[in-house]
Amino acid sequence: MKTLRIFLNATALCGTLFFYQNVEAQKINQKTTVIAVNGTSPLHDWEMNSSAAYFTGTVNGNSISNATFTMPVKNLKSKKGSTMDNKAYEALKSSQYPTISFTAASINFGKSNVSGKLTIAGVSRNVSFPVSVAKNENTYTIYGTETVKLSDFGMSRPGFMGIKTGDEVTIKVSITAQ
């Protein structure tokens, strides 16, 4: 009888903790997104931008768990025109791999490093980079930046008339989610 009472008390305690943890969890989705990809070439620096991407996660305590970010490659646009855009889409292998994605098990609030899987041009790499997450009521602002090598993702450096871009690009992402 004593064993049964201990079992029932433990079950009740675990059930209460499970219920409390699930009540605290809040699913969030992006409200706005700003992405900038910056690179170099012997002629000029260049930038491509997008404001169309998808972010989801679950806020639980002081972190966002199961974070998923996906951006269609062809949402990236440059100020240099369609020739540059098309060269970038070709390098990103957009016809075979139409999205760039990042997933992380957890992103802590405040300033920290986030570790996760970044997939570009069909190649996935584990990465870790600085991120900042700020909470204002039910709104979360997430900012991160990372420099990657195109060659690490099996990409050829885009070029025009024999002039190629640099191998490194800097990706900056700013997400507001609710």
Side-chain angles (χ1 to χ4, degrees):
M1 190 59 134
K2 185 176 180 180
T3 304
L4 179 60
R5 189 170 5 143
I6 291 171
F7 174 74
L8 291 174
N9 286 339
T11 302
L13 178 62
C14 288
T16 302
L17 291 174
F18 177 75
F19 177 75
Y20 178 74
Q21 186 176 23
N22 283 333
V23 169
E24 291 294 310
Q26 171 192 0
K27 276 290 247 189
I28 59 172
N29 297 296
Q30 102 286 347
K31 187 173 152 187
T32 61
T33 308
V34 177
I35 299 105
V37 179
N38 298 291
T40 61
S41 79
L43 295 177
H44 58 77
D45 291 347
W46 55 269
E47 182 174 329
M48 297 186 82
N49 297 289
S50 177
S51 59
Y54 311 98
F55 175 84
T56 62
T58 303
V59 175
N60 198 346
N62 289 322
S63 67
I64 300 170
S65 60
N66 301 317
T68 302
F69 171 85
T70 305
M71 183 192 70
V73 169
K74 290 193 175 179
N75 285 350
L76 284 169
K77 303 288 181 195
S78 72
K79 293 180 182 171
K80 303 289 182 190
S82 63
T83 300
M84 183 173 170
D85 293 350
N86 290 332
K87 293 286 183 185
Y89 302 154
E90 184 181 323
L92 288 162
K93 304 173 187 174
S94 66
S95 60
Q96 294 169 285
Y97 308 103
T99 60
I100 295 170
S101 65
F102 176 75
T103 57
S106 181
I107 304 172
N108 294 324
F109 289 3
K111 292 183 179 185
S112 65
N113 277 346
V114 63
S115 295
K117 184 168 67 170
L118 177 62
T119 303
I120 302 174
V123 176
S124 297
R125 296 271 184 238
N126 291 324
V127 296
S128 179
F129 58 91
V131 69
S132 173
V133 179
K135 178 183 178 185
N136 184 6
E137 295 183 13
N138 287 335
T139 302
Y140 303 87
T141 304
I142 305 158
Y143 178 78
T145 184
E146 173 70 336
T147 299
V148 298
K149 288 185 176 183
L150 300 176
S151 57
D152 287 346
F153 290 89
M155 297 172 50
S156 299
R157 298 179 329 186
F160 184 71
M161 296 178 63
I163 300 171
K164 298 208 178 252
T165 65
D167 191 28
E168 289 188 346
V169 296
T170 301
I171 305 167
K172 297 177 183 176
V173 177
S174 179
I175 300 167
T176 302
Q178 288 185 324

